[in-house]
Amino acid sequence: AKRAELDTLVIEREMMSGGQILSTYEVDNYPGLPGSSGFDLGMKFREHADQLGAVFTEDCIESAELSGAVKTLYGQKEAYQARTVIIATGARHKKLGIPGEEELSGSGVSYCATCDGAFFKDKTAAVIGGGDVALEDAIFLSRLCKKVHLIHRRDELRGAKTLQKRVLESDKIEVHWNTVADAIEGDGRVESLVLTNRKTGETERLETDGVFIAVGIEPESSAFSQIVETDSQGYFAAGEDGATSVPGVFAAGDVRTKQLRQVLTAASDGANCVTSVERYLAER
Ligand code: NAP
């Protein structure tokens, strides 16, 4: 937006820019920068925006008035006005909702292997899920832990084939197929997971020091979901141009309804949204 010479304010909830990639050990599918850590990539994006003169502020938007020609965003600290808004609030980790998850969160239950993995050096960890994040987490943890259990509810993994290959070839990762976690147990710290095999109905207690939950994401759309149309899962309904049901309001990245949620497609959404913003402003 700044390159298009638009007066641009970026409102970030966290001090660090980068969102979900900050906790990604390695982003290997962003062209031209193979093997970058998510943190480095986030910092590069931020430096680039800073160099161009985009202004950043730290706040959390809680509600908004978006219908008029001038939109107002109400943050915890301040109110902001703009003629157009690009919502790029991303997505957050889903919870499993099983006994012990909430109580032992931070005491062995984690949603971020790269943030908390170091606490499980030479210990045993279990990862729940079968998508890209679960596979990446299992691979990352297998470098540190003496044993990693991957708990997946089906007999086929969802994540990328390259990651599947690395998981299945690892002698440290054991995949528990058709298996669901019913409870996380421990006295003040995670000690075990109660598992049920969905095919045989058998239940077992698996001893583990850590439980990493990677069962998907849900959109961070609540501040705007009463005003801007969403799909059935709460993602903002918008096409490639980013235009939402509210004129002058655009959606980019993981919070938009789309086929593929990657840094690459999020960056592409950003470029499309800015073009849409320029057109919208030129027409008025
Ligand atoms: P995801 O692709 O939605 O996978 C979630 C996994 O958790 C699935 O295997 C699912 O099982 C399982 N699951 C969901 N609810 C469950 C429950 N209640 N109990 C047990 N298992 C459950 O989510 P993700 O791995 O977090 O990835 C989120 C998005 O980011 C995806 O679009 C992914 O492609 C993208 N991503 C991309 C990259 C990359 O390109 N490098 C890296 C990370 C993430 P089923 O398979 O049976 O549905």
Side-chain angles (χ1 to χ4, degrees), residues 218-229:
E218 53 194 5
E220 290 268 15
S221 53
S222 59
F224 311 96
S225 57
Q226 301 302 313
I227 318 169
V228 181
E229 205 175 289

Side-chain angles (χ1 to χ4, degrees), residues 31-268:
L33 298 167
S36 297
S37 78
F39 182 85
D40 287 346
L41 200 55
M43 290 301 111
K44 281 199 174 106
F45 289 163
R46 173 63 190 261
E47 278 163 26
H48 194 172
D50 281 339
Q51 275 166 20
L52 290 162
V55 178
F56 283 74
T57 191
E58 223 179 287
D59 205 346
C60 179
I61 302 303
E62 293 184 322
S63 61
E65 275 168 31
L66 301 175
S67 55
V70 176
K71 327 286 181 195
T72 307
L73 304 173
Y74 298 99
Q76 284 172 353
K77 296 179 185 163
E78 262 186 69
Y80 307 87
Q81 290 200 309
R83 289 166 68 202
T84 58
V85 175
I86 298 175
I87 308 172
T89 42
R92 61 172 168 256
H93 306 292
K94 268 192 200 161
K95 303 244 159 101
L96 266 180
I98 57 173
E101 180 180 11
E102 189 91 47
E103 298 85 324
L104 294 166
S105 181
S107 302
V109 173
S110 169
Y111 299 84
C112 177
T114 50
C115 315
D116 301 326
F119 299 121
F120 299 90
K121 195 168 182 319
D122 300 324
K123 294 186 174 176
T124 300
V127 177
I128 301 175
D132 285 329
V133 172
L135 304 188
E136 282 178 354
D137 285 359
I139 294 163
F140 175 77
L141 290 166
S142 70
R143 298 190 186 110
L144 299 163
C145 300
K146 68 173 184 220
K147 175 91 188 174
V148 177
H149 297 275
L150 181 67
I151 317 294
H152 183 44
R153 64 182 177 182
R154 290 189 295 134
D155 58 4
E156 198 185 334
L157 295 166
R158 179 180 293 280
K161 288 280 182 284
T162 46
L163 296 172
Q164 290 192 26
K165 191 164 179 284
R166 284 164 73 186
V167 164
L168 298 174
E169 282 174 358
S170 167
D171 52 9
K172 281 217 194 148
I173 304 172
E174 180 181 343
V175 185
H176 298 248
W177 302 103
N178 303 303
T179 301
V180 290
D182 298 323
I184 305 169
E185 296 182 330
D187 187 10
R189 270 217 76 76
V190 168
E191 290 165 15
S192 59
L193 254 179
V194 180
L195 302 175
T196 299
N197 184 303
R198 295 169 74 200
K199 283 245 162 98
T200 63
E202 268 172 44
T203 299
E204 66 166 314
R205 184 167 277 105
L206 180 79
E207 283 189 14
T208 183
D209 302 296
V211 177
F212 289 85
I213 298 173
V215 294
I217 54 170
E218 53 194 5
E220 290 268 15
S221 53
S222 59
F224 311 96
S225 57
Q226 301 302 313
I227 318 169
V228 181
E229 205 175 289
T230 63
D231 65 14
S232 60
Q233 292 170 9
Y235 294 93
F236 293 121
E240 202 184 0
D241 62 1
T244 68
S245 58
V246 181
V249 177
F250 305 87
D254 281 7
V255 80
R256 177 172 84 87
T257 180
K258 62 195 322 202
Q259 180 177 295
L260 183 62
R261 294 195 165 83
Q262 290 184 349
V263 189
L264 178 58
T265 63
S268 140

Side-chain angles (χ1 to χ4, degrees), residues 16-33:
M16 304 287 253
S17 296
Q20 290 174 88
I21 56 164
L22 285 180
S23 56
T24 304
Y25 179 70
E26 189 180 348
V27 179
D28 205 33
N29 54 0
Y30 194 82
L33 298 167

